Amino acid sequence: MCGIVGVVGKPAREVVLNGLKNLEYRGYDSAGIYLNDLQGHEYLTKAVGRIANLEEKLAPEEEGTTGIGHTRWATHGHPTVENAHPQYSEDGRFYLVHNGVIENYLELKEKYLAGAHFKSETDTEVVVQLVAKLAKEENLDAFSAFKQALKLVKGSYAFLLVDNTKPDHIYIAKNKSPMMLGLGDGFNIIASDAISVLDQTKTFIALNDGDCADVTKDSIEIQDCDGNKAEREAKVLDIDPNAASKGTYEFYMLKEIDEQPAVMRRLSTDYLDEAGKPVVDEKIIDAVSQADRIYIFAAGTSYHAGLVGKEIFEKFTGIPTEVGYASEAGYHFPMMSKHPFFIFLTQSGETADSRVVLTEANKRGIPSLTMTNVEGSTLSREATYTMLLNAGPEIAVASTKAYTAQVALQAILAKAVGEKLGDQAAKDWNLKQGLSLAAEGIQEIVDGKEKIEELAKKYLIPSRNAFYIGRGIDHAVSLESALKLKEVSYIQTEGFAAAELKHGTISLIEDGTPVIALINDPVTADLTRGNIQEVASRGANVITIVGKQFAKEGDNIVLPEIDYYLSALLSVVPTQLLAYFASKNKGLDVDKPRNLAKSVTVE
Ligand code: F6R
């Protein structure tokens, strides 16, 4: 979603622009930068569309040793230059960039800013005008006026503020939106995601909600809105900046699909010992073992990983497991069992919808675990426990390797808990071998990608719509596969429980409609074959993705044999590739599908 980069104490233009480019993958529709050279010159430039458009507009002399930049994913108001950030106050003194949503901006506007003139439709402009008003009318310095304004503001925010009467400072504030403070030698840098500025520093302070800070090139003062000072620990982040580069790939999505065998091996090494025993924090195992019900909350692809996890947890721990959309559970909290345990699946660790549920869980004292790919992310810091996916940075908006990592990590936890509870199936489950087979199997599938590209070209690209069908875990995978195809190729696709089609949706099948059938469930394999006949006889072009043990002549994609409970790790991969090739061959921007953002930090 929106991205923020600010720097104080060194030539800022390139640092800010590069940082913003590193955040491009998150999705945005306009960008802007403010630079101040501390010699009385300041520059504000904004552009709609890509950062390249912004760069084109920047004059050579536009440079400064204080700079703040922003990529905006429109919420309040269209993607226009006026609505792009930085927003500035009517008196021209304050410049503000903002990630998040101000819930009471209309109320603030009416109550405090009746006479002010607004140039944009944004909630952000209301805040910068409010700061300016408080500074002027109450004769406050910038930091005091900012903190005063924050007391009135309700919502989520990561703010960077510059006062052009004291431009060697950047004032920052955080609530519910991520914000990292990077420490440099003779400069400091602020970013909504550390990954964007790893070429500048690896030492970061993660700010807490409610923190405000006054940052200069060689000082950082962190306070709350009332001026109480706070100490926050700096940590050196162990992230390889090259892991986030595209290398020789045209698109990140394919690189990340191809990385999945390595991710499976890494999870196996990190979470299973030589003998295949899970290496999981005992406290987590104890906490889950004591639960009478597991609740998994997530959104989008992570939700689909949770649906697979449900099958695995119930099979190997015997603990009933429910999966819910975080966005729904936040405001319609499910009825709880006596001893619930919450698992949050979130690649980014920042999804606002999931965070609402976690906040409520914390209020109610419900123990929780975040499975995330981002160390130090908000949901990881706020949950009782964290398990990292260790999948390496995922840059393509469409999640691939984080999904398979989520499935595998849930399997590891299920085995650990099941063993603790004395479950025989868990004890007998050779997960080490399973993950090794998954790694080899994925490799085999990605090595045969040309065939999958042909299928995408022949059946998917000419079509406006498509269906995935499957039963059991295949149903969960069909939902994920459909999401992947529609989000990157814009082909309207739905995932269905195979037998459900005939209860209504089969009326949409016509000559040439692609129906992709997944068959990996031993119990229902033959039944799904029957469902294939139903659509084929009504004109559908059927593509089958079938485990070797269930394969028949004429099947299109035959997957290496694997345990049913790990079958999602293989069956999803051809569907990721189908989505990738459909998008690429339609000439679309595979990594940045329209309207989407990587890290969804608004509700
Ligand atoms: C789709 C996709 C999204 C995310 C969803 C939740 O490819 O990536 O559906 O899964 O926005 O994001 P996280 O996992 O970061 O909580």
Side-chain angles (χ1 to χ4, degrees):
M1 229 148 215
C2 306
I4 284 183
V5 177
V7 65
V8 56
K10 74 186 297 187
R13 173 173 163 159
E14 281 315 303
V15 177
V16 171
L17 289 174
N18 285 340
L20 292 180
K21 282 182 198 161
N22 291 334
L23 292 174
E24 275 193 298
Y25 72 93
R26 290 175 163 251
Y28 68 100
D29 33 45
S30 58
I33 185 168
Y34 169 83
L35 296 159
N36 191 308
D37 68 0
L38 313 190
Q39 315 288 325
H41 303 111
E42 61 181 355
Y43 308 95
L44 174 70
T45 309
K46 307 198 267 186
V48 173
R50 292 285 142 103
I51 292 166
N53 304 351
L54 177 67
E55 279 182 303
E56 262 173 35
K57 282 177 111 177
L58 283 169
E61 68 276 13
E62 294 193 31
E63 182 54 285
T65 49
T66 292
I68 55 175
H70 189 261
T71 46
R72 172 172 185 260
W73 188 81
T75 55
H76 295 70
H78 295 93
T80 59
V81 167
E82 290 72 32
N83 290 335
H85 301 197
Q87 289 292 322
Y88 53 97
S89 56
E90 210 175 334
D91 61 6
R93 176 176 164 189
F94 293 100
Y95 292 81
L96 184 73
V97 294
H98 167 216
N99 284 358
V101 171
I102 304 307
E103 287 157 23
N104 62 338
Y105 78 108
L106 287 175
E107 188 188 316
L108 292 173
K109 202 169 170 178
E110 270 170 30
K111 198 161 167 191
Y112 300 100
L113 298 163
H117 292 104
F118 287 85
K119 304 162 294 299
S120 78
E121 303 158 279
T122 64
D123 48 346
T124 309
E125 189 183 359
V126 173
V127 178
V128 75
Q129 298 268 42
L130 185 60
V131 174
K133 180 187 161 90
L134 292 169
K136 191 169 166 202
E137 290 185 359
E138 300 189 19
N139 199 19
L140 297 173
D141 62 68
F143 197 30
S144 305
F146 188 35
K147 287 183 288 184
Q148 202 64 20
L150 292 170
K151 287 189 192 173
L152 304 171
V153 164
K154 281 195 201 127
S156 57
Y157 50 79
F159 284 127
L160 300 192
L161 176 79
V162 177
D163 168 10
N164 69 5
T165 68
K166 231 174 150 191
D168 54 337
H169 292 246
I170 295 182
Y171 305 99
I172 68 187
K174 173 196 155 33
N175 188 45
K176 297 189 192 164
S177 290
M179 175 84 101
M180 301 292 278
L181 188 42
L183 312 186
D185 190 7
F187 70 94
N188 283 308
I189 194 156
I190 308 114
S192 49
D193 187 339
I195 207 174
S196 64
V197 292
L198 281 178
D199 56 336
Q200 298 295 321
T201 181
K202 283 191 155 192
T203 309
F204 289 89
I205 294 174
L207 294 180
N208 287 358
D209 281 352
D211 284 350
C212 308
D214 176 354
V215 183
T216 68
K217 69 183 175 53
D218 37 35
S219 70
I220 291 170
E221 183 164 335
I222 303 175
Q223 303 181 356
D224 65 16
C225 287
D226 294 318
N228 302 307
K229 292 198 174 153
E231 293 294 327
R232 302 276 173 251
E233 204 189 329
K235 274 192 179 169
V236 178
L237 294 192
D238 182 21
I239 308 176
D240 172 7
N242 296 325
S245 95
K246 227 176 345 187
T248 55
Y249 282 86
E250 190 180 350
F251 290 106
Y252 280 107
M253 186 176 174
L254 188 60
K255 174 175 180 264
E256 290 160 6
I257 291 171
D258 280 358
E259 281 170 352
Q260 292 176 106
V263 173
M264 292 301 110
R265 291 195 185 96
R266 197 173 318 139
L267 284 172
S268 175
T269 318
D270 292 352
Y271 287 104
L272 296 171
D273 70 12
E274 286 294 315
K277 273 214 83 59
V279 183
V280 175
D281 185 343
E282 279 299 329
K283 289 198 206 98
I284 301 178
I285 300 177
D286 284 345
V288 186
S289 307
Q290 283 158 25
D292 60 0
R293 194 167 286 257
I294 297 169
Y295 295 81
I296 299 173
F297 293 107
T301 288
S302 297
Y303 169 80
H304 297 148
L307 294 175
V308 180
K310 169 189 163 66
E311 302 278 326
I312 299 175
F313 281 116
E314 292 190 338
K315 164 77 183 169
F316 294 102
T317 68
I319 304 173
T321 303
E322 287 182 22
V323 192
Y325 286 120
S327 54
E328 286 298 309
Y331 299 95
H332 301 279
F333 212 70
M335 208 165 126
M336 287 292 109
S337 62
K338 278 210 175 87
H339 302 290
F341 186 88
F342 279 18
I343 297 178
F344 292 90
L345 295 179
T346 168
Q347 180 278 133
S348 64
E350 301 294 348
T351 299
D353 292 326
S354 299
R355 193 170 178 221
V356 173
V357 185
L358 176 53
T359 306
E360 184 60 30
N362 285 343
K363 267 193 216 147
R364 296 180 186 215
I366 299 169
S368 57
L369 163 71
T370 293
M371 287 188 176
T372 180
N373 205 24
V374 183
E375 190 179 358
S377 54
T378 306
L379 273 112
S380 119
R381 280 186 279 131
E382 294 180 355
T384 326
Y385 310 104
T386 295
M387 288 175 81
L388 291 174
L389 299 173
N390 293 347
E394 191 179 67
I395 309 292
V397 164
S399 183
T400 53
K401 62 177 178 173
Y403 169 88
T404 41
Q406 284 168 341
V407 171
L409 195 54
Q410 289 178 95
I412 290 166
L413 180 61
K415 178 170 168 66
V417 173
E419 284 184 357
K420 166 99 186 175
L421 294 172
D423 185 286
Q424 198 53 44
K427 286 185 191 164
D428 294 343
W429 199 19
N430 191 341
L431 194 49
K432 187 112 193 142
Q433 187 193 46
L435 291 183
S436 164
L437 287 174
E440 284 166 26
I442 298 172
Q443 193 60 55
E444 199 178 312
I445 298 164
V446 297
D447 285 348
K449 52 171 83 83
E450 289 75 18
K451 186 176 170 204
I452 296 175
E453 180 165 18
E454 287 317 308
L455 290 169
K457 281 189 191 158
K458 187 166 170 197
Y459 295 114
L460 299 181
I461 290 176
S463 187
R464 279 184 52 242
N465 60 354
F467 293 93
Y468 273 95
I469 59 170
R471 292 167 179 246
I473 288 178
D474 286 332
H475 174 224
V477 175
S478 79
L479 297 176
E480 169 54 13
S481 307
L483 176 64
K484 207 81 331 170
L485 183 57
K486 68 185 139 190
E487 73 174 322
V488 297
S489 75
Y490 315 150
I491 297 168
Q492 186 177 5
T493 316
E494 299 310 327
F496 266 90
E500 282 299 306
L501 270 190
K502 65 178 178 293
H503 294 292
T505 312
I506 202 164
S507 65
L508 295 176
I509 303 292
E510 46 191 41
D511 267 352
T513 306
V515 176
I516 305 150
L518 301 161
I519 306 181
N520 297 282
D521 176 7
V523 183
T524 59
D526 290 340
L527 289 168
T528 305
R529 292 273 180 200
N531 301 131
I532 290 176
Q533 290 312 318
E534 290 157 11
V535 292
S537 60
R538 285 162 179 83
N541 277 332
V542 177
I543 301 175
T544 47
I545 300 178
V546 185
K548 193 173 172 184
Q549 58 279 43
F550 313 110
K552 295 205 167 137
E553 212 181 314
D555 280 329
N556 301 88
I557 300 170
V558 177
L559 305 172
E561 195 168 339
I562 199 161
D563 176 352
Y564 167 65
Y565 290 94
L566 297 179
S567 61
L569 298 175
L570 296 190
S571 60
V572 79
V573 179
T575 76
Q576 296 169 341
L577 287 165
L578 283 170
Y580 170 78
F581 285 121
S583 176
K584 183 181 159 223
N585 286 292
K586 281 177 101 176
L588 300 173
D589 188 345
V590 181
D591 287 337
K592 298 185 210 91
R594 68 183 176 212
N595 305 339
L596 288 176
K598 180 69 181 162
S599 166
V600 185
T601 48
V602 295
E603 284 177 54

